Structures are given as C-alpha cells and as structure tokens.
Amino acid sequence: MKRIFNFILNSVPRPLLIRFSYIVSPIFALILKGDKFTDPIDGKSFKSLLSYGYGKQRSNVLSPSTLSLERHRLLWLYLKNETDFFSAEKKVLHFAPEQCFLKRFRTLKNLDYTTTDLLSPIADVKADICNLPFKDDSYDVIFCNHVLEHIPDDTKAMQELYRVLKPGGYGVFQVPQDLEREITFEDDSITDKKERAKIFGQYDHVRIYGKDYFNKLRHIGFKVNEVDYTAKLLKEDIIKYCLAEGEIIPLVYK
C-alpha cells in the first residue's frame, strides 16, 4: 500500500490528485472505521490512519475522512483551543487551501474568507504569491502553510504576505522544517525529481528550512512566536490525534 501511495503522489498532477481524493476518501473512511485514533477536525475515529509521503512514507498520518495530516490536526486544535478564530469576525486569506479546512472555514459565518493559489482547482483567486492582487493591510488572518518551500524567491513572497496583513493581524506559515539544521539548505542544481524528493522531501520543493526560518520572517518585519503546542497537550492526546510531537507552529504578527 505504501508503494502504491508513493507512486500516485509522485506521478499524478496535484490538481487531478485533489479531485481524485474526494472520490476515494469516503471509501477509506468506511474501511478503516474504528476507535483507536480520532481526527479532531470532524471527530471521526479509526482503527488506523493512512500512510503518506512523497519521499519517505510516514505510517499512520493521513486521516481517511478529512485528509488531514499531523500539521493540520495540530493547527485545528490550536485555533480551536487558543484563539477566537471560530467566533470573532475576521477577514481571512488562505493560500493553497487544504481540503480538510476549506469547506469548514467557508461555512463559518464570522469569517470573510478568501482562498488563493496559482494552480489549485479549489482556490477562489488565481494569484502569484510574489505578486498578489490584494491591497495593503487587507487581512486579519493569513494561512500560508507548506507553500513557501515551493517558491524560488521566498523573500519576495514573505514581503507580500507582510504587505497584505493588517497591523495587529496574525498569520500561520508552516513549512517542512528540520529543527536539527541551523541553516536552510537549497541547491538549484538538483533537478531530478527522485533526488529532490529524497533531499527536500518532495519533488517540487526547492529547499529544506532550518532553524533560521524564524529569523528570516523576523527580518521581513514579522514578530514571530515559535509555538510548540504539543508541549501543552497530554501524551495520550498526542497519540490519539496522531500528532508530531515537538512540531512548531510559526505564528507571526504584524
């Protein structure tokens, strides 16, 4: 099964993969129904989760019902338990909207919610993150998760994110990050897809971020909180929700 998933992820174009996932996810949700693990986003429980990964496959990480991964479930719990995101009126911009969040955020009456991406078939606005069509100081909240590692000029992208965020607003900019690595690694000479997946974690990534990612955001002008939310959770909940212990949520403010 892991080999099949690996082949599909690395062979099927992402827009087609997104559409296909809507068809197969209900099937897996029914097959894997159980009571060992719970997806906090929809409250459904399973005997196991699915494997996922473009390079090395991670076992028991992909929810068959919402298609959430560890980072999505962690962010959901943080937003629900630690913020007023689900109750206060906010203007929200969401880059490359994740399927597990999209419909749920759209139904929240307190949100003025806009999604954007250059390629995603489920985004509202087609836009280049390095040249956004939005006015300065437009959004209370910006989600830009697992996007910047795809962008050759991530400095320009960060500057655009800062420009359109309102003063006093906040953003969550999750990225694949190696916290054992002090300095971000990128090498444009690596063009082979298999090699890129091996080194960067995915065939279309252009870098693997290190600890310096937070300071790069600070250099742009953001105030950054490196939130280890799993440190506040019970060990049994980390296991129950299939979270990555120690994963950092980069919470930024303007």
Side-chain angles (χ1 to χ4, degrees), residues 74-90 92 105 108 110-111 140-141 143 170-172 225 227 229 232 249 251-253:
L74 180 67
L75 179 56
W76 179 273
L77 288 167
Y78 179 80
L79 292 173
K80 181 181 178 181
N81 298 333
E82 305 295 331
T83 77
D84 61 359
F85 179 79
F86 292 95
S87 58
E89 290 189 2
K90 296 184 183 297
V92 179
F105 288 176
L108 293 175
N110 61 301
L111 300 183
D140 299 296
V141 180
F143 296 121
Y170 69 87
V172 178
N225 283 356
V227 180
Y229 191 55
K232 294 187 65 174
I249 298 175
L251 185 66
V252 306
Y253 299 92

Side-chain angles (χ1 to χ4, degrees), residues 71-247:
R71 63 180 184 267
H72 304 128
R73 296 186 290 274
L74 180 67
L75 179 56
W76 179 273
L77 288 167
Y78 179 80
L79 292 173
K80 181 181 178 181
N81 298 333
E82 305 295 331
T83 77
D84 61 359
F85 179 79
F86 292 95
S87 58
E89 290 189 2
K90 296 184 183 297
K91 189 174 181 181
V92 179
L93 181 63
H94 193 168
F95 286 84
E98 299 94 336
Q99 290 160 273
C100 58
F101 295 144
L102 182 62
K103 288 184 179 180
R104 291 167 178 83
F105 288 176
R106 276 184 174 163
T107 61
L108 293 175
K109 294 181 179 180
N110 61 301
L111 300 183
D112 178 356
Y113 180 65
T114 300
T115 63
T116 183
D117 191 71
L118 192 59
L119 299 173
S120 175
I122 59 176
D124 300 320
V125 179
K126 185 176 181 179
D128 180 353
I129 193 173
C130 294
N131 186 24
L132 295 173
F134 310 115
K135 294 181 180 180
D136 295 359
D137 307 327
S138 293
Y139 293 95
D140 299 296
V141 180
I142 297 178
F143 296 121
C144 184
N145 296 323
H146 283 239
V147 172
L148 293 172
E149 69 274 10
H150 297 268
I151 310 301
D153 190 354
D154 63 340
T155 297
K156 179 60 177 173
M158 292 176 186
Q159 290 170 340
E160 281 289 271
L161 293 172
Y162 187 84
R163 179 181 67 80
V164 302
L165 183 64
K166 287 182 182 180
Y170 69 87
V172 178
F173 304 158
Q174 293 172 313
V175 294
Q177 191 174 16
D178 180 0
L179 293 175
E180 299 297 319
R181 185 187 297 271
E182 293 293 330
I183 305 298
T184 295
F185 174 72
E186 49 191 317
D187 186 345
D188 295 338
S189 69
I190 304 171
T191 57
D192 180 75
K193 284 189 174 183
K194 290 184 179 180
E195 192 68 12
R196 295 190 73 83
K198 180 180 177 181
I199 294 174
F200 298 121
Q202 195 164 307
Y203 68 87
D204 54 355
H205 289 184
V206 298
R207 66 182 62 82
I208 177 69
Y209 285 102
K211 291 181 181 178
D212 58 337
Y213 171 64
F214 307 116
N215 284 333
K216 183 163 188 176
L217 290 168
R218 293 184 179 104
H219 182 74
I220 297 298
F222 292 107
K223 177 184 176 182
V224 181
N225 283 356
E226 303 167 27
V227 180
D228 178 6
Y229 191 55
T230 61
K232 294 187 65 174
L233 300 176
L234 297 174
K235 184 72 174 181
E236 50 263 40
D237 286 337
I238 294 173
I239 296 171
K240 176 183 177 182
Y241 299 134
C242 292
L243 305 177
E245 189 168 4
E247 180 171 357

